[in-house]
Amino acid sequence: MSAPDDDLPGQGLGLALPRFEAGWVWLCGAGPGDPGLLTLHALNGLRQADVLVYDALVGPDILGLARPGAVLEYAGKRGGKPSPKQQDISLRIVELARAGRRVLRLKGGDPFVFGRGGEEALSLVEAGVPFRVLPGISAGIGGLAYAGIPCTHRDTNSVVTFLTGHDATGATPDGIDWAAVARGSPVLVMYMALKHLPEIRRRLLAGGRAEAEPLAIVSHASLPDQQVVETTLGACVEDAEAGGARAPAMIVLGEVVRLRSALDWLGAIRARAERAPA
């Protein structure tokens, strides 16, 4: 049963957001974690979906925005832990849609940025299931912004490269030309790279990056327990361990990291709150 129109996001703003039809799948990005970074389209989907098939990086505050009575199905994949196979997830989404459910496939960040959303969309095409894509704020952009690190700045870089730290087998990707990346991109933003950081460091140094180049590791980006370890490429492995860096984490390498000393707006807010009288 659909939510009343006055319960849907955008109604009071004069926005005509789409109605979620039975038998459809919406592939939705939930952003890096802070519920405030959800799009209106994402909230609209949450308020109408019959079933949420959600990933490990979608937190309880976001799941709590689902309409009453919605079914929550976990389909998270975490490195090194038992996880559902991608084929099984895709088949389950198709099965639910064919049963006439309104299926919200909720993924952390953006569904098409290292999120396997493209694979799931192709499965829906093959099955003849109608779908909509709701982009989300990728952690490689929004998460770094919460750490006070811009992806680009005209004084440092006009190029940024996004890459994943592991391939489909869980190993450091051999399909990446690490030497070319090291030479050609002044800023590297790495997803899911913490586990393989020693090997990634080795390959980047071999490709010509300097040991003294600044690097930051942002754990649990945009969440209340966000943690940032600022270090260098040469010392990143040891500092990550000493600083307690933990997955999920974004890693950024390049001169933009130095801007954090001035742009750490979230740290300034927290410091102001700590100084405020009780």
Side-chain angles (χ1 to χ4, degrees):
M1 182 175 180
S2 295
D5 284 349
D6 55 4
D7 286 344
L8 299 180
Q11 294 298 323
L13 302 175
L15 300 177
L17 298 179
R19 181 162 295 281
F20 208 153
E21 301 294 342
W24 279 66
V25 175
W26 286 8
L27 299 169
C28 178
D34 182 344
L37 297 179
L38 288 169
T39 66
L40 283 173
H41 278 306
L43 187 57
N44 183 41
L46 284 162
R47 294 288 178 83
Q48 297 186 72
D50 298 314
V51 183
L52 273 64
V53 181
Y54 66 97
D55 278 355
L57 298 182
V58 179
D61 289 342
I62 291 176
L63 296 176
L65 297 172
R67 74 173 183 84
V71 175
L72 307 184
E73 291 197 9
Y74 178 73
K77 301 175 76 65
R78 297 297 295 270
K81 297 181 179 180
S83 303
K85 297 183 183 301
Q86 184 59 52
Q87 182 180 9
D88 293 336
I89 296 172
S90 296
L91 289 173
R92 179 57 176 162
I93 295 169
V94 169
E95 178 185 34
L96 289 167
R98 285 178 169 169
R101 304 294 186 88
R102 292 167 295 193
V103 185
L104 188 70
R105 176 63 171 119
L106 199 58
K107 307 171 80 67
D110 179 272
F112 280 3
V113 180
F114 303 122
R116 304 193 182 188
E119 297 173 46
E120 293 173 4
L122 288 171
S123 295
L124 295 170
V125 170
E126 184 177 356
V129 173
F131 68 95
R132 176 185 290 267
V133 178
L134 308 180
I137 297 175
S138 176
I141 297 174
L144 295 188
Y146 266 57
I149 302 172
C151 285
T152 65
H153 188 281
R154 65 179 182 176
D155 291 337
T156 61
N157 64 301
S158 56
V159 174
V160 59
T161 295
F162 297 93
L163 58 90
T164 177
H166 66 74
D167 60 20
T169 69
T172 307
D174 287 327
I176 296 175
D177 187 336
W178 290 95
V181 167
R183 291 192 308 270
S185 185
V187 172
L188 304 180
V189 177
M190 294 171 269
Y191 294 68
M192 301 168 285
L194 189 59
K195 178 180 179 181
H196 297 303
L197 190 54
E199 176 62 15
I200 290 171
R201 174 178 67 178
R202 185 191 70 79
R203 296 189 186 196
L204 291 175
L205 289 173
R209 299 304 277 248
E211 289 195 3
E213 188 170 5
L215 179 146
I217 304 167
V218 185
S219 299
H220 293 200
S222 84
L223 294 173
D225 60 343
Q226 173 179 293
Q227 176 194 30
V228 182
V229 174
E230 289 187 67
T231 178
T232 63
L233 179 59
C236 62
V237 174
E238 296 75 18
D239 287 350
E241 183 175 357
R246 62 209 188 284
M250 299 300 307
I251 299 175
V252 56
L253 173 69
E255 289 300 311
V256 290
V257 173
R258 299 190 195 277
L259 298 175
R260 184 170 187 266
S261 61
L263 301 182
D264 181 18
W265 59 273
L266 186 57
I269 290 174
R270 290 174 176 174
R272 190 176 299 116
E274 291 173 358
R275 293 194 302 267

